[in-house]
Amino acid sequence: MDFTPSEEQSAAQELAARIFGDLSTHERLAAAGTGTDAELWKELCAAGLPGAVEDIGLLGLVLLLEEQGRTTAQVPFAATCVYGLLAVAEHGTAEQRERLLPGLRDGTAVATGAFPARGGVHISDGALYGAVPWVPWLRDATHVLVADAERVLWIVEAGASGVTVEPVETTASWAAGRLVLDGVRGERLGGGPGAYAAVLATARTAFAGLQAGVCAGSLARAVHHTVTREQFGRPLSTNQGVLLRAADAHMDTEAIRVTAYEAAWHHDEQRHYAAEALTAAWWASEAGKRVVHAGQHLHGGAGADLDHPVHRHFLWGRQLDAYLGCGSEVLEELGLLLAVDRLEEAS
């Protein structure tokens, strides 16, 4: 395995880092509240970053999402790329790709996904019925990728008749909403078997990359605070307990990053990577919450301030901890997968 970014991936990551760093500031995030930063989204799309994902692959997307996570930028970048661009490009028909991809590339269309499937949506007489309690970035979406009880994927237009979007406030500021479907005529994505599992694995890998960035940003803030803050005449960072806590957080962050890279690399090499995606998701959940708790703790009393920038990393880290399955859920799924693989090898 070689995780060294290509020239195209490195260039895209550098561009993303510059845009996120310049525009996703604490002041702009505070002004955005729980909504999306429309100007930032417009800038990302004008730079061609969503469309670039088709060329730089899932590993490239993970690199871009790390940069988003460092600044907790409030844009539907991950959702549009995972549930829109990559889902349609990899599983859509030729007609669907021709019709849907241009809008997803230039940002005039925004996609999200009602994932994972939990039996909340069913088909009756060819129409979709049911409700999904919360869907990230739903308030911005033009298209929603919905998985029904049979795990068949449907593309639903957010403004279609029978679709109701009710605003929901979640732990992180993800412009989420409750999705209600009442006799909606959806469009089946492609039709090939296994599309649901493939999109879910892609989503878990991508959001693990986002978590790696969130954790790196939290840790960077904690390091800066402990180096510059003095207690009893010396920096906090000289205390052994602080050093050990920061070191553990660094190792956890690297574990999230490398497992996300490994899963993305397997995807791009067109290898089976269900186990790698679940491994990345487990690290993102279990290690992710440790890191953002450490980041807040290392800030001392300042970390308890809801308006402090590090608190936003804490909220994002906890949201990502449970999204697409918490640690115990994905660990159970991984165990079942490995057991089935062993039985197939033995037979």
Side-chain angles (χ1 to χ4, degrees), residues 267-331:
H267 169 276
D268 293 344
E269 291 295 313
Q270 298 183 343
R271 301 186 181 196
H272 183 69
Y273 75 110
E276 286 77 9
L278 286 166
T279 302
W282 183 82
W283 276 104
S285 176
E286 293 295 308
K289 62 187 172 189
R290 287 198 296 266
V291 174
V292 296
H293 274 270
Q296 196 161 18
H297 186 200
L298 289 172
H299 276 77
D305 183 356
L306 301 183
D307 294 325
H308 195 285
V310 78
H311 188 68
R312 189 174 291 108
H313 289 270
F314 174 78
L315 296 177
W316 276 61
R318 290 314 309 259
Q319 188 76 61
L320 287 163
D321 156 35
Y323 182 50
L324 300 178
C326 66
S328 58
E329 289 176 316
V330 296
L331 189 62

Short mmCIF file of all heavy atoms in Angstrom, two decimals, residues 267-331:
data_model
loop_
_atom_site.label_atom_id
_atom_site.label_comp_id
_atom_site.label_asym_id
_atom_site.label_seq_id
_atom_site.Cartn_x
_atom_site.Cartn_y
_atom_site.Cartn_z
N HIS A 267 -10.48 1.10 -1.82
CA HIS A 267 -11.59 1.48 -2.71
C HIS A 267 -11.06 1.90 -4.07
O HIS A 267 -11.55 1.45 -5.12
CB HIS A 267 -12.39 2.62 -2.08
CG HIS A 267 -13.37 3.26 -3.02
ND1 HIS A 267 -13.00 4.26 -3.91
CD2 HIS A 267 -14.70 3.05 -3.23
CE1 HIS A 267 -14.05 4.63 -4.62
NE2 HIS A 267 -15.09 3.92 -4.22
N ASP A 268 -10.07 2.77 -4.07
CA ASP A 268 -9.54 3.30 -5.33
C ASP A 268 -8.84 2.23 -6.16
O ASP A 268 -8.77 2.34 -7.39
CB ASP A 268 -8.59 4.46 -5.06
CG ASP A 268 -9.31 5.68 -4.49
OD1 ASP A 268 -10.56 5.73 -4.58
OD2 ASP A 268 -8.63 6.58 -3.96
N GLU A 269 -8.31 1.22 -5.48
CA GLU A 269 -7.67 0.10 -6.19
C GLU A 269 -8.68 -0.97 -6.59
O GLU A 269 -8.31 -2.03 -7.10
CB GLU A 269 -6.60 -0.53 -5.30
CG GLU A 269 -5.39 0.36 -5.06
CD GLU A 269 -4.60 0.63 -6.32
OE1 GLU A 269 -4.33 -0.34 -7.07
OE2 GLU A 269 -4.27 1.81 -6.58
N GLN A 270 -9.96 -0.68 -6.33
CA GLN A 270 -11.07 -1.58 -6.67
C GLN A 270 -10.91 -2.94 -6.00
O GLN A 270 -11.18 -3.98 -6.58
CB GLN A 270 -11.19 -1.74 -8.19
CG GLN A 270 -11.49 -0.42 -8.89
CD GLN A 270 -11.69 -0.57 -10.39
OE1 GLN A 270 -11.32 -1.58 -10.99
NE2 GLN A 270 -12.28 0.44 -11.00
N ARG A 271 -10.52 -2.89 -4.73
CA ARG A 271 -10.41 -4.10 -3.92
C ARG A 271 -11.57 -4.14 -2.94
O ARG A 271 -12.17 -3.12 -2.61
CB ARG A 271 -9.08 -4.11 -3.15
CG ARG A 271 -7.86 -4.05 -4.04
CD ARG A 271 -6.60 -4.23 -3.22
NE ARG A 271 -5.41 -4.16 -4.04
CZ ARG A 271 -4.22 -4.58 -3.65
NH1 ARG A 271 -4.06 -5.10 -2.43
NH2 ARG A 271 -3.18 -4.47 -4.43
N HIS A 272 -11.87 -5.32 -2.45
CA HIS A 272 -12.90 -5.46 -1.43
C HIS A 272 -12.41 -4.78 -0.15
O HIS A 272 -11.30 -5.05 0.31
CB HIS A 272 -13.17 -6.95 -1.17
CG HIS A 272 -14.28 -7.19 -0.19
ND1 HIS A 272 -15.60 -6.93 -0.48
CD2 HIS A 272 -14.26 -7.67 1.08
CE1 HIS A 272 -16.35 -7.24 0.56
NE2 HIS A 272 -15.56 -7.68 1.52
N TYR A 273 -13.21 -3.88 0.40
CA TYR A 273 -12.71 -3.11 1.55
C TYR A 273 -13.77 -2.92 2.63
O TYR A 273 -13.68 -1.98 3.44
CB TYR A 273 -12.17 -1.76 1.08
CG TYR A 273 -13.20 -0.72 0.72
CD1 TYR A 273 -13.41 0.41 1.50
CD2 TYR A 273 -13.99 -0.86 -0.43
CE1 TYR A 273 -14.36 1.37 1.18
CE2 TYR A 273 -14.93 0.08 -0.77
CZ TYR A 273 -15.11 1.19 0.03
OH TYR A 273 -16.04 2.13 -0.30
N ALA A 274 -14.73 -3.81 2.72
CA ALA A 274 -15.76 -3.67 3.75
C ALA A 274 -15.16 -3.69 5.15
O ALA A 274 -15.53 -2.88 6.01
CB ALA A 274 -16.79 -4.79 3.60
N ALA A 275 -14.21 -4.59 5.39
CA ALA A 275 -13.59 -4.67 6.72
C ALA A 275 -12.76 -3.43 7.01
O ALA A 275 -12.77 -2.91 8.14
CB ALA A 275 -12.70 -5.91 6.80
N GLU A 276 -12.06 -2.91 6.01
CA GLU A 276 -11.25 -1.71 6.21
C GLU A 276 -12.12 -0.50 6.51
O GLU A 276 -11.76 0.35 7.34
CB GLU A 276 -10.38 -1.46 4.97
CG GLU A 276 -9.21 -2.39 4.80
CD GLU A 276 -9.61 -3.77 4.26
OE1 GLU A 276 -10.77 -3.93 3.86
OE2 GLU A 276 -8.74 -4.66 4.24
N ALA A 277 -13.26 -0.39 5.82
CA ALA A 277 -14.17 0.73 6.08
C ALA A 277 -14.73 0.66 7.50
O ALA A 277 -14.85 1.69 8.18
CB ALA A 277 -15.31 0.72 5.05
N LEU A 278 -15.09 -0.53 7.97
CA LEU A 278 -15.59 -0.68 9.32
C LEU A 278 -14.50 -0.40 10.36
O LEU A 278 -14.78 0.18 11.42
CB LEU A 278 -16.14 -2.10 9.52
CG LEU A 278 -17.48 -2.38 8.84
CD1 LEU A 278 -17.77 -3.88 8.81
CD2 LEU A 278 -18.62 -1.65 9.58
N THR A 279 -13.27 -0.79 10.04
CA THR A 279 -12.16 -0.49 10.95
C THR A 279 -11.95 1.01 11.09
O THR A 279 -11.76 1.53 12.19
CB THR A 279 -10.87 -1.16 10.44
OG1 THR A 279 -11.07 -2.58 10.33
CG2 THR A 279 -9.70 -0.88 11.37
N ALA A 280 -11.99 1.71 9.95
CA ALA A 280 -11.85 3.17 9.99
C ALA A 280 -12.99 3.80 10.77
O ALA A 280 -12.78 4.74 11.55
CB ALA A 280 -11.81 3.72 8.56
N ALA A 281 -14.20 3.29 10.58
CA ALA A 281 -15.36 3.83 11.29
C ALA A 281 -15.23 3.59 12.79
O ALA A 281 -15.62 4.46 13.60
CB ALA A 281 -16.65 3.20 10.76
N TRP A 282 -14.70 2.44 13.19
CA TRP A 282 -14.53 2.15 14.62
C TRP A 282 -13.52 3.11 15.24
O TRP A 282 -13.76 3.67 16.31
CB TRP A 282 -14.06 0.71 14.82
CG TRP A 282 -13.96 0.34 16.27
CD1 TRP A 282 -14.96 -0.05 17.10
CD2 TRP A 282 -12.77 0.39 17.08
NE1 TRP A 282 -14.47 -0.26 18.37
CE2 TRP A 282 -13.14 0.00 18.38
CE3 TRP A 282 -11.44 0.72 16.82
CZ2 TRP A 282 -12.21 -0.07 19.42
CZ3 TRP A 282 -10.52 0.66 17.87
CH2 TRP A 282 -10.91 0.26 19.14
N TRP A 283 -12.40 3.30 14.58
CA TRP A 283 -11.40 4.23 15.11
C TRP A 283 -11.95 5.65 15.17
O TRP A 283 -11.72 6.40 16.12
CB TRP A 283 -10.12 4.19 14.26
CG TRP A 283 -9.20 3.08 14.66
CD1 TRP A 283 -9.00 1.90 14.02
CD2 TRP A 283 -8.35 3.05 15.82
NE1 TRP A 283 -8.08 1.13 14.69
CE2 TRP A 283 -7.67 1.81 15.80
CE3 TRP A 283 -8.10 3.94 16.86
CZ2 TRP A 283 -6.75 1.45 16.79
CZ3 TRP A 283 -7.18 3.59 17.85
CH2 TRP A 283 -6.52 2.35 17.80
N ALA A 284 -12.70 6.04 14.13
CA ALA A 284 -13.27 7.39 14.10
C ALA A 284 -14.22 7.61 15.27
O ALA A 284 -14.30 8.70 15.84
CB ALA A 284 -13.99 7.64 12.78
N SER A 285 -14.95 6.56 15.64
CA SER A 285 -15.90 6.67 16.75
C SER A 285 -15.19 6.62 18.10
O SER A 285 -15.28 7.55 18.90
CB SER A 285 -16.93 5.55 16.67
OG SER A 285 -17.81 5.58 17.77
N GLU A 286 -14.47 5.54 18.35
CA GLU A 286 -13.88 5.33 19.67
C GLU A 286 -12.74 6.30 19.96
O GLU A 286 -12.70 6.94 21.01
CB GLU A 286 -13.39 3.89 19.79
CG GLU A 286 -14.52 2.86 19.78
CD GLU A 286 -15.41 2.99 21.01
OE1 GLU A 286 -14.90 3.01 22.13
OE2 GLU A 286 -16.64 3.09 20.82
N ALA A 287 -11.80 6.40 19.02
CA ALA A 287 -10.66 7.30 19.25
C ALA A 287 -11.08 8.75 19.08
O ALA A 287 -10.56 9.64 19.77
CB ALA A 287 -9.53 6.96 18.28
N GLY A 288 -12.03 9.00 18.18
CA GLY A 288 -12.45 10.37 17.93
C GLY A 288 -13.00 11.05 19.17
O GLY A 288 -12.66 12.20 19.48
N LYS A 289 -13.84 10.35 19.90
CA LYS A 289 -14.40 10.99 21.10
C LYS A 289 -13.35 11.17 22.18
O LYS A 289 -13.40 12.14 22.95
CB LYS A 289 -15.61 10.22 21.61
CG LYS A 289 -15.38 8.80 22.05
CD LYS A 289 -16.72 8.14 22.36
CE LYS A 289 -16.57 6.65 22.63
NZ LYS A 289 -17.90 5.99 22.71
N ARG A 290 -12.36 10.27 22.23
CA ARG A 290 -11.27 10.47 23.20
C ARG A 290 -10.49 11.74 22.89
O ARG A 290 -10.14 12.51 23.79
CB ARG A 290 -10.32 9.26 23.19
CG ARG A 290 -10.88 8.00 23.82
CD ARG A 290 -9.76 7.02 24.16
NE ARG A 290 -9.05 6.54 22.98
CZ ARG A 290 -9.34 5.42 22.34
NH1 ARG A 290 -10.36 4.67 22.73
NH2 ARG A 290 -8.62 5.04 21.29
N VAL A 291 -10.23 11.96 21.61
CA VAL A 291 -9.41 13.11 21.22
C VAL A 291 -10.14 14.42 21.51
O VAL A 291 -9.55 15.36 22.06
CB VAL A 291 -9.02 13.03 19.73
CG1 VAL A 291 -8.31 14.31 19.30
CG2 VAL A 291 -8.12 11.83 19.48
N VAL A 292 -11.40 14.52 21.11
CA VAL A 292 -12.09 15.81 21.31
C VAL A 292 -12.37 16.07 22.79
O VAL A 292 -12.41 17.23 23.22
CB VAL A 292 -13.39 15.88 20.48
CG1 VAL A 292 -13.06 15.85 18.99
CG2 VAL A 292 -14.38 14.78 20.84
N HIS A 293 -12.52 15.02 23.59
CA HIS A 293 -12.62 15.21 25.04
C HIS A 293 -11.29 15.71 25.59
O HIS A 293 -11.25 16.61 26.44
CB HIS A 293 -13.04 13.91 25.72
CG HIS A 293 -14.51 13.69 25.78
ND1 HIS A 293 -15.30 14.13 26.83
CD2 HIS A 293 -15.35 13.09 24.91
CE1 HIS A 293 -16.56 13.81 26.59
NE2 HIS A 293 -16.62 13.17 25.44
N ALA A 294 -10.19 15.13 25.09
CA ALA A 294 -8.87 15.56 25.55
C ALA A 294 -8.61 17.01 25.15
O ALA A 294 -8.08 17.81 25.94
CB ALA A 294 -7.79 14.66 24.96
N GLY A 295 -9.00 17.36 23.92
CA GLY A 295 -8.79 18.73 23.46
C GLY A 295 -9.50 19.74 24.34
O GLY A 295 -8.95 20.79 24.67
N GLN A 296 -10.71 19.41 24.72
CA GLN A 296 -11.47 20.31 25.59
C GLN A 296 -10.88 20.32 27.00
O GLN A 296 -10.75 21.38 27.63
CB GLN A 296 -12.93 19.88 25.62
CG GLN A 296 -13.87 20.94 26.16
CD GLN A 296 -15.31 20.68 25.77
OE1 GLN A 296 -15.68 19.59 25.38
NE2 GLN A 296 -16.15 21.70 25.86
N HIS A 297 -10.49 19.15 27.49
CA HIS A 297 -9.94 19.06 28.85
C HIS A 297 -8.63 19.83 28.97
O HIS A 297 -8.38 20.51 29.98
CB HIS A 297 -9.72 17.59 29.20
CG HIS A 297 -9.30 17.35 30.60
ND1 HIS A 297 -8.68 16.19 31.00
CD2 HIS A 297 -9.39 18.12 31.72
CE1 HIS A 297 -8.41 16.25 32.30
NE2 HIS A 297 -8.84 17.42 32.75
N LEU A 298 -7.78 19.75 27.94
CA LEU A 298 -6.49 20.42 27.99
C LEU A 298 -6.61 21.95 27.94
O LEU A 298 -5.65 22.66 28.22
CB LEU A 298 -5.60 19.94 26.84
CG LEU A 298 -5.08 18.50 26.97
CD1 LEU A 298 -4.37 18.05 25.71
CD2 LEU A 298 -4.15 18.38 28.19
N HIS A 299 -7.79 22.44 27.60
CA HIS A 299 -8.03 23.88 27.65
C HIS A 299 -8.45 24.35 29.04
O HIS A 299 -8.65 25.55 29.25
CB HIS A 299 -9.11 24.28 26.64
CG HIS A 299 -8.60 24.48 25.25
ND1 HIS A 299 -8.29 23.43 24.41
CD2 HIS A 299 -8.33 25.61 24.54
CE1 HIS A 299 -7.87 23.91 23.24
NE2 HIS A 299 -7.88 25.23 23.31
N GLY A 300 -8.62 23.41 29.96
CA GLY A 300 -9.03 23.78 31.31
C GLY A 300 -10.39 24.43 31.32
O GLY A 300 -11.32 24.01 30.60
N GLY A 301 -10.54 25.48 32.10
CA GLY A 301 -11.83 26.16 32.20
C GLY A 301 -12.28 26.76 30.89
O GLY A 301 -13.48 26.83 30.61
N ALA A 302 -11.33 27.18 30.04
CA ALA A 302 -11.70 27.78 28.75
C ALA A 302 -12.42 26.77 27.87
O ALA A 302 -13.28 27.14 27.05
CB ALA A 302 -10.45 28.29 28.04
N GLY A 303 -12.12 25.49 28.04
CA GLY A 303 -12.77 24.47 27.23
C GLY A 303 -14.24 24.31 27.53
O GLY A 303 -14.98 23.74 26.73
N ALA A 304 -14.66 24.80 28.69
CA ALA A 304 -16.08 24.71 29.06
C ALA A 304 -16.90 25.85 28.46
O ALA A 304 -18.13 25.85 28.57
CB ALA A 304 -16.24 24.70 30.57
N ASP A 305 -16.23 26.81 27.85
CA ASP A 305 -16.90 27.96 27.24
C ASP A 305 -17.54 27.52 25.92
O ASP A 305 -16.85 27.11 24.99
CB ASP A 305 -15.89 29.08 27.01
CG ASP A 305 -16.53 30.34 26.45
OD1 ASP A 305 -17.75 30.32 26.17
OD2 ASP A 305 -15.80 31.34 26.29
N LEU A 306 -18.86 27.62 25.83
CA LEU A 306 -19.56 27.17 24.62
C LEU A 306 -19.18 27.99 23.40
O LEU A 306 -19.38 27.54 22.27
CB LEU A 306 -21.08 27.23 24.84
CG LEU A 306 -21.64 26.40 25.99
CD1 LEU A 306 -23.16 26.50 26.02
CD2 LEU A 306 -21.21 24.94 25.88
N ASP A 307 -18.66 29.18 23.60
CA ASP A 307 -18.28 30.04 22.48
C ASP A 307 -16.82 29.88 22.07
O ASP A 307 -16.37 30.51 21.11
CB ASP A 307 -18.53 31.51 22.84
CG ASP A 307 -20.00 31.81 23.02
OD1 ASP A 307 -20.81 31.21 22.29
OD2 ASP A 307 -20.34 32.63 23.91
N HIS A 308 -16.07 29.05 22.78
CA HIS A 308 -14.66 28.85 22.44
C HIS A 308 -14.56 27.97 21.19
O HIS A 308 -15.32 27.01 21.02
CB HIS A 308 -13.93 28.17 23.61
CG HIS A 308 -12.45 28.25 23.51
ND1 HIS A 308 -11.72 27.48 22.63
CD2 HIS A 308 -11.53 29.03 24.16
CE1 HIS A 308 -10.43 27.75 22.75
NE2 HIS A 308 -10.30 28.69 23.67
N PRO A 309 -13.61 28.26 20.29
CA PRO A 309 -13.48 27.46 19.05
C PRO A 309 -13.31 25.96 19.29
O PRO A 309 -13.81 25.15 18.52
CB PRO A 309 -12.24 28.05 18.38
CG PRO A 309 -12.17 29.45 18.88
CD PRO A 309 -12.68 29.41 20.29
N VAL A 310 -12.63 25.57 20.38
CA VAL A 310 -12.40 24.14 20.61
C VAL A 310 -13.70 23.40 20.89
O VAL A 310 -13.81 22.19 20.64
CB VAL A 310 -11.39 23.93 21.76
CG1 VAL A 310 -12.04 24.12 23.13
CG2 VAL A 310 -10.76 22.54 21.66
N HIS A 311 -14.71 24.12 21.41
CA HIS A 311 -15.98 23.46 21.70
C HIS A 311 -16.66 22.99 20.42
O HIS A 311 -17.36 21.97 20.42
CB HIS A 311 -16.90 24.41 22.47
CG HIS A 311 -18.16 23.76 22.97
ND1 HIS A 311 -18.15 22.81 23.96
CD2 HIS A 311 -19.45 23.89 22.60
CE1 HIS A 311 -19.37 22.39 24.19
NE2 HIS A 311 -20.19 23.04 23.37
N ARG A 312 -16.45 23.70 19.33
CA ARG A 312 -17.03 23.29 18.05
C ARG A 312 -16.43 21.95 17.59
O ARG A 312 -17.12 21.10 17.06
CB ARG A 312 -16.80 24.38 16.99
CG ARG A 312 -17.56 24.14 15.70
CD ARG A 312 -17.42 25.32 14.75
NE ARG A 312 -18.12 26.49 15.25
CZ ARG A 312 -17.53 27.56 15.73
NH1 ARG A 312 -16.21 27.61 15.80
NH2 ARG A 312 -18.22 28.60 16.16
N HIS A 313 -15.13 21.79 17.81
CA HIS A 313 -14.50 20.50 17.49
C HIS A 313 -15.08 19.39 18.36
O HIS A 313 -15.29 18.27 17.88
CB HIS A 313 -12.99 20.59 17.70
CG HIS A 313 -12.29 21.44 16.69
ND1 HIS A 313 -11.78 20.93 15.51
CD2 HIS A 313 -12.03 22.76 16.67
CE1 HIS A 313 -11.22 21.90 14.82
NE2 HIS A 313 -11.36 23.03 15.49
N PHE A 314 -15.34 19.70 19.61
CA PHE A 314 -15.94 18.72 20.51
C PHE A 314 -17.31 18.29 19.99
O PHE A 314 -17.63 17.10 19.94
CB PHE A 314 -16.07 19.32 21.92
CG PHE A 314 -16.81 18.45 22.88
CD1 PHE A 314 -16.21 17.36 23.46
CD2 PHE A 314 -18.14 18.73 23.22
CE1 PHE A 314 -16.89 16.54 24.35
CE2 PHE A 314 -18.83 17.93 24.11
CZ PHE A 314 -18.21 16.82 24.67
N LEU A 315 -18.13 19.25 19.57
CA LEU A 315 -19.47 18.92 19.07
C LEU A 315 -19.41 18.11 17.79
O LEU A 315 -20.16 17.14 17.62
CB LEU A 315 -20.28 20.21 18.86
CG LEU A 315 -20.58 21.04 20.11
CD1 LEU A 315 -21.33 22.31 19.72
CD2 LEU A 315 -21.40 20.23 21.10
N TRP A 316 -18.52 18.50 16.88
CA TRP A 316 -18.39 17.75 15.63
C TRP A 316 -17.88 16.33 15.90
O TRP A 316 -18.36 15.36 15.31
CB TRP A 316 -17.43 18.47 14.68
CG TRP A 316 -18.06 19.54 13.87
CD1 TRP A 316 -18.68 20.66 14.32
CD2 TRP A 316 -18.13 19.61 12.43
NE1 TRP A 316 -19.12 21.43 13.27
CE2 TRP A 316 -18.79 20.81 12.11
CE3 TRP A 316 -17.67 18.79 11.40
CZ2 TRP A 316 -19.03 21.20 10.79
CZ3 TRP A 316 -17.90 19.17 10.09
CH2 TRP A 316 -18.57 20.36 9.80
N GLY A 317 -16.90 16.23 16.80
CA GLY A 317 -16.35 14.91 17.11
C GLY A 317 -17.39 13.97 17.69
O GLY A 317 -17.44 12.78 17.35
N ARG A 318 -18.26 14.49 18.56
CA ARG A 318 -19.29 13.65 19.14
C ARG A 318 -20.38 13.32 18.12
O ARG A 318 -20.98 12.24 18.18
CB ARG A 318 -19.90 14.34 20.37
CG ARG A 318 -18.97 14.42 21.57
CD ARG A 318 -18.24 13.12 21.88
NE ARG A 318 -19.11 11.98 21.99
CZ ARG A 318 -19.51 11.43 23.14
NH1 ARG A 318 -19.15 11.98 24.28
NH2 ARG A 318 -20.27 10.36 23.14
N GLN A 319 -20.66 14.23 17.20
CA GLN A 319 -21.63 13.93 16.15
C GLN A 319 -21.10 12.81 15.25
O GLN A 319 -21.82 11.86 14.92
CB GLN A 319 -21.90 15.18 15.30
CG GLN A 319 -23.03 15.02 14.29
CD GLN A 319 -24.40 15.07 14.93
OE1 GLN A 319 -24.77 16.08 15.52
NE2 GLN A 319 -25.15 14.00 14.82
N LEU A 320 -19.85 12.92 14.87
CA LEU A 320 -19.24 11.90 14.00
C LEU A 320 -19.05 10.58 14.74
O LEU A 320 -19.03 9.51 14.11
CB LEU A 320 -17.89 12.40 13.49
CG LEU A 320 -17.98 13.49 12.42
CD1 LEU A 320 -16.64 14.21 12.27
CD2 LEU A 320 -18.41 12.89 11.09
N ASP A 321 -18.91 10.64 16.05
CA ASP A 321 -18.78 9.43 16.86
C ASP A 321 -19.95 8.48 16.65
O ASP A 321 -19.77 7.26 16.58
CB ASP A 321 -18.66 9.85 18.33
CG ASP A 321 -19.07 8.77 19.31
OD1 ASP A 321 -18.84 7.59 19.03
OD2 ASP A 321 -19.64 9.13 20.36
N ALA A 322 -21.15 9.03 16.52
CA ALA A 322 -22.35 8.18 16.42
C ALA A 322 -22.90 8.08 15.01
O ALA A 322 -23.71 7.20 14.73
CB ALA A 322 -23.44 8.72 17.35
N TYR A 323 -22.48 8.96 14.11
CA TYR A 323 -23.04 8.95 12.76
C TYR A 323 -22.58 7.69 12.00
O TYR A 323 -21.43 7.32 12.04
CB TYR A 323 -22.60 10.21 12.01
CG TYR A 323 -23.17 10.31 10.61
CD1 TYR A 323 -24.53 10.15 10.38
CD2 TYR A 323 -22.35 10.58 9.53
CE1 TYR A 323 -25.06 10.24 9.11
CE2 TYR A 323 -22.87 10.68 8.25
CZ TYR A 323 -24.22 10.51 8.04
OH TYR A 323 -24.75 10.59 6.78
N LEU A 324 -23.51 7.04 11.33
CA LEU A 324 -23.28 5.81 10.55
C LEU A 324 -22.89 4.63 11.42
O LEU A 324 -22.35 3.64 10.94
CB LEU A 324 -22.20 6.04 9.47
CG LEU A 324 -22.51 7.13 8.45
CD1 LEU A 324 -21.36 7.29 7.46
CD2 LEU A 324 -23.80 6.83 7.70
N GLY A 325 -23.21 4.72 12.71
CA GLY A 325 -22.95 3.61 13.62
C GLY A 325 -21.90 3.96 14.64
O GLY A 325 -20.79 4.37 14.28
N CYS A 326 -22.25 3.82 15.93
CA CYS A 326 -21.27 4.10 16.97
C CYS A 326 -20.27 2.94 17.04
O CYS A 326 -20.40 1.94 16.34
CB CYS A 326 -21.95 4.30 18.31
SG CYS A 326 -22.77 2.83 18.95
N GLY A 327 -19.26 3.08 17.89
CA GLY A 327 -18.18 2.10 17.94
C GLY A 327 -18.64 0.67 18.18
O GLY A 327 -18.19 -0.26 17.50
N SER A 328 -19.54 0.46 19.12
CA SER A 328 -19.99 -0.90 19.42
C SER A 328 -20.79 -1.50 18.27
O SER A 328 -20.71 -2.70 17.99
CB SER A 328 -20.84 -0.89 20.70
OG SER A 328 -21.96 -0.03 20.57
N GLU A 329 -21.54 -0.65 17.55
CA GLU A 329 -22.33 -1.14 16.41
C GLU A 329 -21.44 -1.59 15.26
O GLU A 329 -21.63 -2.67 14.70
CB GLU A 329 -23.30 -0.06 15.95
CG GLU A 329 -24.44 0.22 16.90
CD GLU A 329 -25.31 1.37 16.45
OE1 GLU A 329 -24.76 2.41 16.02
OE2 GLU A 329 -26.55 1.25 16.52
N VAL A 330 -20.47 -0.76 14.91
CA VAL A 330 -19.60 -1.13 13.79
C VAL A 330 -18.68 -2.28 14.17
O VAL A 330 -18.31 -3.10 13.33
CB VAL A 330 -18.80 0.08 13.26
CG1 VAL A 330 -19.72 1.12 12.69
CG2 VAL A 330 -17.90 0.67 14.32
N LEU A 331 -18.32 -2.38 15.46
CA LEU A 331 -17.49 -3.51 15.90
C LEU A 331 -18.25 -4.82 15.78
O LEU A 331 -17.70 -5.85 15.34
CB LEU A 331 -17.03 -3.29 17.34
CG LEU A 331 -15.98 -4.28 17.85
CD1 LEU A 331 -14.70 -4.17 17.04
CD2 LEU A 331 -15.68 -4.00 19.33
#
